[in-house]
Amino acid sequence: QSPLTQPPSVSAAPGQKVTISCSGSSSNIGNNYVSWYQQFPGTAPKLLIYDNDRRPSGIPDRFSGSKSGTSATLDITGLQTGDEAAYYCASWDVSLSDVVFGGGTKLTVL
Amino acid sequence: EDHLLQSGGGLVPPGGSLRLSCEASGFTFSDYAMNWIRQAPGKGLEWVSALSGSGDATYYSDSVRGRFTISRDNSKSTLYLHLDGLRVEDTAVYYCAKDRLTASFDAWGQGTPVTVSS
């Protein structure tokens, strides 16, 4: 059981917006940065968002992150079929002295 | 562009040992902490271990502490993970990842599978 909770799956139509949530506690999200990763089957994860809301170069602005209290969200606008993937949040947990990942959310673009 | 090329891994019986390697290019290797992260079949990501850029600070998850050893050779821009006392539950794809601090990883290796089975 991960300290970070994500919905197992979300879905939306092409062109629409989807929000993926990541719920934690004061030990992790509440007092540390959040990052988000995209992973296609059989491939390595890719960094989408770091430091809560910053995008690495090359990541489209359709992807955005935010944090409030002990929760974080990843928003994806203008959904494309190529966005179908698993998405993971991560944060440092001071109680565990570990990096913790959410369980992952499978995005389906209908 | 940052690039991480992994090698090692394979099939090993319970109690066996393996060494994974991760060769870096495209950045000054010694300037960055490096991590190992694994993913069991059909499961999510699990952080395993981290090592500071100088190699003098190591970190391990409770699930591998005392059995796995992380190390690096900055002269070869290579990160290692030595896995001892392997258990069936260690079966996973292992990724090395470059640490940009704040629990964010901006470059990943291609992954190498480790299967522990008799």
Side-chain angles (χ1 to χ4, degrees):
Chain A
Q1 187 82 7
S2 171
L4 303 184
T5 301
Q6 297 181 235
S9 63
V10 296
S11 62
Q16 297 300 303
K17 171 186 172 181
V18 71
T19 296
I20 298 174
S21 61
C22 177
S23 177
S25 69
S26 58
S27 295
N28 40 67
I29 292 176
N31 287 285
N32 293 284
Y33 287 113
V34 177
S35 55
W36 289 91
Y37 303 85
Q38 177 189 57
Q39 185 181 34
F40 297 104
T43 69
K46 176 182 180 180
L47 180 65
L48 285 180
I49 299 290
Y50 67 96
D51 294 0
N52 303 331
D53 56 11
R54 302 188 67 179
R55 278 187 310 275
S57 62
I59 300 300
D61 59 7
R62 300 189 298 108
F63 296 90
S64 63
S66 63
K67 187 183 96 167
S68 178
T70 59
S71 293
T73 59
L74 173 70
D75 288 329
I76 310 172
T77 59
L79 274 172
Q80 303 172 2
T81 56
D83 295 331
E84 284 204 340
Y87 293 83
Y88 294 90
C89 59
S91 183
W92 176 255
D93 190 295
V94 297
S95 296
L96 299 174
S97 294
D98 281 359
V99 174
V100 290
F101 287 91
T105 299
K106 174 69 169 67
L107 168 64
T108 300
V109 181
L110 301 169
Chain B
E1 182 180 343
D2 301 347
H3 189 63
L4 300 173
L5 181 62
Q6 296 183 227
S7 59
L11 174 63
V12 62
S17 299
L18 275 176
R19 189 181 80 163
L20 310 182
S21 299
C22 171
E23 183 175 0
S25 59
F27 63 98
T28 303
F29 184 66
S30 59
D31 284 351
Y32 293 90
M34 296 293 294
N35 292 253
W36 289 98
I37 294 162
R38 68 185 180 183
Q39 187 169 34
K43 303 296 185 182
L45 301 170
E46 179 190 11
W47 175 81
V48 171
S49 182
L51 179 60
S52 62
S54 61
D56 60 358
T58 58
Y59 308 87
Y60 298 95
S61 67
D62 286 347
S63 60
V64 307
R65 186 175 292 112
R67 300 187 299 120
F68 292 8
T69 304
I70 191 171
S71 63
R72 65 194 297 159
D73 184 336
N74 285 344
S75 70
K76 296 180 179 179
S77 296
T78 301
L79 176 74
Y80 302 99
L81 185 68
H82 195 93
L83 300 74
D84 286 320
L86 281 161
R87 304 167 180 169
V88 171
E89 56 265 35
D90 295 319
T91 295
V93 174
Y94 286 71
Y95 296 100
C96 61
K98 173 174 166 274
D99 193 329
R100 63 165 314 285
L101 300 179
T102 65
S104 58
F105 310 106
D106 60 355
W108 295 66
Q110 81 277 18
T112 187
V114 172
T115 303
V116 185
S117 174
S118 53

